Amino acid sequence: MKLRYWVLLLVFLSSACSQKEDTQYDICVYGATSAGVMAAYSAKMKGKTVIIIEPGYHLGGLTSGGLGQTDIGNKYAITGLSRDFYQKIGNHYGRLEQWTFEPHVAKGIFQSYLDKAGIEVKFGHEIIKVQKSGKRITSIELNDTKAGSKFDLTAKVFIDCSYEGDLMAKAGVSYTIGRESNETYGENFNGVQLMDKHQFMDGIDPYNIKGDPKSGLLWGIASGKLAERGSGDNKLQAYNFRLCLTDSVENMLPITRPVGYDSTRFELLLRYIEKKQAKELNWAHMHIQPMPGRKTDINNSGPFSTDYIGANYKYPDATYAERKEIIKDHKLYTESLLYFLGNDPRVPEHLRKEMKSWGYPKDEFVDFGNFTPQLYVREARRMVSDYVMTEKHCVGEETAEDGIGLAAYTMDSHNCQRMVVDGMVKNEGDVQEGLGGLPPYPISYRSIIPKKAECDNLIVPVCLSASHIAFGSIRMEPVFMVLGQSAGVAASLAIENGGNVHEVTASQIQEDLKLDPTSDGRVGIITMDNDDEGIAMQGNWSRDTKYSGRYGKSIMRTKVANTSFTFISNSLQDSKYDAYIYFPSGVGLSEKVGVRIKTQGKEDYHQLYINNKDADWVFITQLEGEQEKDFSFSIENLENQKEFVVDAIILKPQENGH
């Protein structure tokens, strides 16, 4: 009996020791978002032990959660693993790269990164507590919600890639929620903003009984008065679900009446429908963006749409249980909206018929009842570090000298509240300043690490240090992936130099990303932009920094025939390359282009016919690369009387996929 006791005790102790060893890592990534995958992959491929902790059960965040119509701003800003991801998407659909895609395709590619690197994701693990020794996080206590058990996880460096910033907050790092006033950072578009985008037209009555304030406000309208323009508050831009629907009858599940449905929530929508007299749902009531596979990415559009305005204020600091209720409420709102538009007899018949032509795809989100589990948390907590990204960085008035990634999207905030203004219902908070995208600008390394006085071994690439309106420009999924990779590189460098993220320099990160752009030793893509060094122009050219759909900061344009623009480089390596040229979209542009290629003492000539309907990369030819051999691309206009535009060239190693 005693022998059996000692055997059991030894087995128990052995198991305990084994479990303790399994919970010690070089790097812990919190959040299996798109940024989390790239952070973990880049660190693991550099030889570090890595674990991803995810409180939910979904991989890839918004990118695989329905946001398949990617907001980019400018493709020049998307580099490294982030660009590699969109090229893998393109490979799936038979193109160089693709920015519109089905959710399950994105999820599969994220999983392929994890499989290649051998990275484990612990799903259903919530952070209970963060243990610190001085300014250093030593471990985090986790709750395994499925097993009902708790344990400690130790790491040398932690990366918070969540949309909420839970690890950051529990580590005692400074953060803010809501909108700063314009005065805080000397901005123009922060704080309260009453603008006309996604706005009710004048004259829509807000009261239960029209014209009678005593009858009370319709559902969804908040009481209170409009504050001064530019004043700060703790209100958040609205969340929604990016909806993947299909019109394929074979792949469709019908939109049914949800439990808890209440048609009285949509009286205000009916008043808007009556006033708007829209001929179709698209743009007036939602933005229906076509995806491959006869699917959609549906986003908010119009004053009463999929954005659930005012329902998210408690979300950032809420408990996990409270957040689940907020998410549940958002889902009920969304399902009810879709059902209402398709079935309520007061909705015009043509709109009902259009809505009923859509349904949930059978092959998407199969583990979640075919409805995305990922709420679009546009903004929650934002870290306040020693360096804050502001509107001035977005518009080029200030430049971060320690950039470790680029952003380029317009400063974008969705509406934050719905209220009565001058006796009419109005939305407040929508800002879309710099439509068409901003010139790419650098994001500071200091903005993704905490204050020196607060924490030594934490990196926060998603809930980074930025004002509300600057965050609105930075908060795009491709940029989060760029910052996630930079965070993984920075964490690896920190471990190699004592574990303090403040001792890592931006130049070290930049050099690593330059030498190993995909963090796994693959030959990098060669990109040549018209703003780069090593160009030669012949003829009369003008630079345009405002052209929509451009690649990089500008394009070069001319109306003179027989002009040429030459890209020169000597960075070809021992690899085979596919060469592509970028053409922005535009009416009246030259469609007949000549490309003269000189490399390794040879000269080839190609004549291309360009479809200018969409900004895209056009395949030119295949190249045989050789280390340190000069080459050049001369682009020539072959059409008289048509404007000729030159923008960029990409050489993609064929081992990255054709």
Side-chain angles (χ1 to χ4, degrees):
M1 187 70 180
K2 288 183 179 180
L3 179 61
R4 183 182 178 190
Y5 168 81
W6 285 110
V7 170
L8 290 173
L9 179 61
L10 286 171
V11 170
F12 172 78
L13 290 173
S14 175
S15 175
C17 290
S18 174
Q19 182 180 17
K20 184 177 181 181
E21 184 179 351
D22 288 343
T23 57
Q24 294 178 335
Y25 297 88
D26 290 329
I27 297 169
C28 171
V29 175
Y30 173 70
T33 60
S34 59
V37 172
M38 296 314 184
Y41 181 82
S42 59
K44 184 64 182 294
M45 297 305 287
K46 293 187 179 302
K48 302 299 181 283
T49 57
V50 181
I51 187 73
I52 299 179
I53 300 299
E54 167 57 42
Y57 291 89
H58 171 66
L59 175 66
L62 285 159
T63 298
S64 58
L67 204 166
Q69 178 75 32
T70 310
D71 294 321
I72 312 163
N74 194 309
K75 295 172 184 175
Y76 181 86
I78 313 308
T79 55
L81 282 172
S82 183
R83 194 57 169 267
D84 184 63
F85 170 83
Y86 292 101
Q87 291 186 345
K88 288 182 185 297
I89 293 282
N91 187 55
H92 177 85
Y93 292 110
R95 302 182 61 176
L96 169 63
E97 59 191 29
Q98 182 143 323
W99 307 83
T100 60
F101 46 84
E102 299 158 274
H104 76 271
V105 173
K107 183 179 179 181
I109 291 173
F110 284 131
Q111 187 62 55
S112 71
Y113 284 111
L114 300 181
D115 291 343
K116 179 179 177 180
I119 297 170
E120 179 189 3
V121 182
K122 288 187 177 294
F123 290 104
H125 283 65
E126 301 171 346
I127 294 180
I128 302 171
K129 187 188 304 181
V130 172
Q131 301 285 357
K132 291 178 73 177
S133 175
K135 295 185 294 182
R136 191 167 194 80
I137 301 172
T138 55
S139 65
I140 57 176
E141 184 180 357
L142 297 169
N143 176 34
D144 183 340
T145 57
K146 190 172 183 179
S149 59
K150 300 176 183 179
F151 65 95
D152 290 340
L153 188 147
T154 302
K156 297 173 184 175
V157 177
F158 293 82
I159 307 176
D160 189 341
C161 289
S162 68
Y163 296 119
E164 297 85 5
D166 290 335
L167 197 161
M168 169 192 72
K170 290 185 183 296
V173 170
S174 297
Y175 66 88
T176 187
I177 297 171
R179 304 181 284 184
E180 298 90 352
S181 70
N182 277 336
E183 294 179 354
T184 304
Y185 297 116
E187 298 173 306
N188 297 298
F189 297 101
N190 211 329
V192 172
Q193 304 285 337
L194 187 65
M195 296 188 177
D196 59 2
K197 188 71 174 178
H198 303 298
Q199 185 61 275
F200 290 96
M201 64 279 286
D202 289 349
I204 296 184
D205 193 289
Y207 305 112
N208 286 313
I209 300 174
K210 291 183 179 181
D212 182 7
K214 294 181 180 179
S215 66
L217 296 169
L218 291 173
W219 182 88
I221 303 175
S223 59
K225 295 183 179 180
L226 180 67
E228 181 181 354
R229 182 188 178 278
S231 59
D233 57 28
N234 60 358
K235 294 180 173 61
L236 295 167
Q237 56 177 312
Y239 300 168
N240 72 343
F241 288 100
R242 295 294 285 257
L243 297 169
C244 184
L245 302 181
T246 183
D247 63 355
S248 169
V249 176
E250 297 78 14
N251 193 33
M252 183 193 300
L253 295 171
I255 296 170
T256 56
R257 178 182 175 123
V259 176
Y261 175 76
D262 181 359
S263 65
T264 64
R265 286 186 163 200
F266 303 106
E267 293 297 327
L268 178 58
L269 175 57
L270 286 173
R271 292 184 189 181
Y272 170 65
I273 289 173
E274 181 182 15
K275 191 88 169 179
K276 179 68 175 177
Q277 296 288 304
K279 295 182 179 180
E280 61 180 0
L281 293 172
N282 201 19
W283 293 111
H285 300 293
M286 57 186 67
H287 186 196
I288 304 173
Q289 302 162 98
M291 296 289 110
R294 293 182 64 177
K295 295 171 187 172
T296 69
D297 169 1
I298 293 180
N299 196 11
N300 181 84
S301 187
F304 196 122
S305 184
T306 60
D307 276 3
Y308 191 1
I309 299 173
N312 60 344
Y313 298 160
K314 295 180 180 180
Y315 183 87
D317 275 335
T319 65
Y320 290 111
E322 290 168 339
R323 282 188 192 151
K324 288 174 184 176
E325 290 302 312
I326 294 171
I327 294 170
K328 182 179 178 181
D329 185 36
H330 276 73
K331 183 180 179 184
L332 173 60
Y333 167 79
T334 307
E335 291 176 324
S336 296
L337 172 67
L338 299 180
Y339 182 79
F340 178 84
L341 287 170
N343 294 275
D344 195 289
R346 295 169 294 176
V347 175
E349 183 179 4
H350 67 284
L351 296 181
R352 280 185 280 134
K353 183 177 180 181
E354 182 182 354
M355 188 70 250
K356 288 182 77 69
S357 70
W358 297 103
Y360 302 116
K362 294 177 183 178
D363 60 346
E364 297 290 352
F365 312 120
V366 293
D367 295 330
F368 303 98
N370 306 99
F371 190 98
T372 176
Q374 181 61 64
L375 181 65
Y376 194 167
V377 179
R378 290 190 170 93
E379 186 176 346
R381 300 181 179 106
R382 300 190 312 280
M383 181 170 63
V384 180
S385 73
D386 290 323
Y387 195 94
V388 181
M389 298 294 297
T390 71
E391 176 185 311
K392 294 179 180 180
H393 296 94
C394 300
V395 299
E397 291 179 10
E398 291 183 10
T399 301
E401 301 299 330
D402 58 340
I404 39 79
L406 298 173
Y409 198 70
T410 183
M411 290 180 286
D412 179 9
S413 172
H414 282 234
N415 279 304
C416 300
Q417 58 182 331
R418 180 176 291 146
M419 59 199 313
V420 179
V421 179
D422 298 329
M424 301 175 289
V425 62
K426 293 291 179 182
N427 292 335
E428 183 279 316
D430 190 280
V431 179
Q432 296 185 37
E433 193 59 29
L435 285 173
L438 299 162
Y441 61 90
I443 301 167
S444 168
Y445 175 55
R446 288 167 289 169
S447 74
I448 70 169
I449 56 177
K451 295 177 180 179
K452 284 187 177 181
E454 293 183 345
C455 194
D456 287 342
N457 63 334
L458 174 65
I459 307 177
V460 187
V462 176
C463 295
L464 74 162
S465 179
S467 70
H468 157 71
I469 199 60
F471 189 80
S473 171
I474 296 169
R475 64 173 180 85
M476 302 303 141
E477 288 287 289
V479 176
F480 283 156
M481 283 191 256
V482 169
L483 295 178
Q485 180 181 7
S486 295
V489 170
S492 301
L493 290 169
I495 290 172
E496 293 164 8
N497 293 279
N500 189 333
V501 298
H502 295 281
E503 298 300 319
V504 176
T505 66
S507 60
Q508 288 177 299
I509 301 169
Q510 293 166 0
E511 183 66 16
D512 189 289
L513 294 172
K514 180 180 179 180
L515 293 175
D516 192 7
T518 53
S519 295
D520 53 17
R522 282 180 285 164
V523 175
I525 291 169
I526 298 172
T527 303
M528 294 170 286
D529 184 65
N530 64 276
D531 287 312
D532 294 341
E533 295 181 0
I535 57 174
M537 291 177 284
Q538 179 183 351
N540 186 20
W541 293 88
S542 63
R543 188 180 304 276
D544 187 342
T545 61
K546 302 295 183 182
Y547 199 92
S548 180
R550 67 190 182 279
Y551 183 90
K553 294 182 178 181
S554 73
I555 62 168
M556 302 302 295
R557 61 199 308 171
T558 184
K559 289 187 177 180
V560 180
N562 301 318
T563 55
S564 67
F565 191 101
T566 303
F567 296 90
I568 304 169
S569 181
N570 65 347
S571 55
L572 278 182
Q573 297 187 34
D574 292 321
S575 177
K576 293 183 178 180
Y577 291 88
D578 291 335
Y580 295 82
I581 185 169
Y582 190 83
F583 282 95
S585 59
V587 177
L589 296 181
S590 177
E591 297 177 350
K592 192 176 179 183
V593 176
V595 182
R596 194 176 305 278
I597 304 169
K598 294 181 180 180
T599 180
Q600 301 179 47
K602 301 177 182 178
E603 181 175 315
D604 294 317
Y605 183 79
H606 302 269
Q607 189 167 296
L608 307 177
Y609 291 89
I610 309 300
N611 180 346
N612 291 310
K613 292 182 180 179
D614 298 304
D616 203 359
W617 295 100
V618 177
F619 178 74
I620 306 172
T621 188
Q622 295 180 351
L623 294 177
E624 293 282 349
E626 188 175 331
Q627 187 77 28
E628 300 298 331
K629 291 293 184 180
D630 292 344
F631 69 94
S632 66
F633 283 79
S634 295
I635 319 300
E636 303 170 352
N637 184 15
L638 299 179
E639 285 194 289
N640 291 315
Q641 309 302 320
K642 281 196 174 184
E643 188 169 44
F644 183 46
V645 170
V646 169
D647 205 345
I649 296 274
I650 266 187
L651 303 183
K652 180 185 178 186
Q654 289 184 14
E655 59 263 34
N656 282 3
H658 195 37

